[in-house]
Amino acid sequence: MTLNEYNLKMLAFRLRQVDRAFERRDLAWQFMCVQATDKDGKLVYREFDKFFDYEKAIKQVYQPQKDEAHMDQDLVRIARRLEEYRRKRGVNSGI
């Protein structure tokens, strides 16, 4: 398996995970609609999009935003040094 094939399979896996999350939240939405009301008796979530933003979840798959606090700090330090080295040499980092 090539790296491109692996990356494509991982993308498909992450998209499948978003679809599964959508299905779970859709079911939870249906249960919640029957039960969840505020103190005035009105529905807490009137629209499903406020409960689960499908488009946002898909966007996060294509453009993941990782917090550096959750990353291996040694690798973060190495990536910063590499980026600084490439910037000094005038090479586009592509990272």
Side-chain angles (χ1 to χ4, degrees):
M1 176 183 312
T2 67
L3 185 58
N4 286 336
E5 290 172 333
Y6 172 78
N7 287 334
L8 191 58
K9 286 186 179 216
M10 288 305 297
L11 175 63
F13 172 76
R14 289 190 304 266
L15 290 171
R16 197 168 37 249
Q17 293 298 101
V18 170
D19 284 341
R20 288 180 181 162
F22 177 82
E23 291 169 358
R24 288 189 305 268
R25 281 161 179 94
D26 182 47
L27 182 61
W29 169 259
Q30 292 172 15
F31 287 126
M32 190 270 322
C33 283
V34 174
Q35 300 171 354
T37 58
D38 62 8
K39 59 184 171 184
D40 296 329
K42 296 181 183 176
L43 291 176
V44 176
Y45 294 104
R46 295 169 196 249
E47 299 174 16
F48 182 76
D49 290 340
K50 296 204 187 292
F51 183 70
F52 179 72
D53 191 347
Y54 184 78
E55 295 298 322
K56 181 180 175 184
I58 293 292
K59 197 178 293 185
Q60 287 177 343
V61 168
Y62 283 105
Q63 300 171 348
Q65 301 293 324
K66 289 197 172 187
D67 184 16
E68 286 186 6
H70 295 96
M71 295 179 185
D72 183 350
Q73 293 305 307
D74 290 333
L75 293 178
V76 171
R77 184 174 35 80
I78 291 168
R80 285 184 182 157
R81 284 184 180 172
L82 179 61
E83 185 177 9
E84 181 181 335
Y85 173 76
R86 287 179 174 168
R87 189 174 39 238
K88 285 181 181 178
R89 292 195 56 208
V91 178
N92 186 1
S93 67
I95 298 175

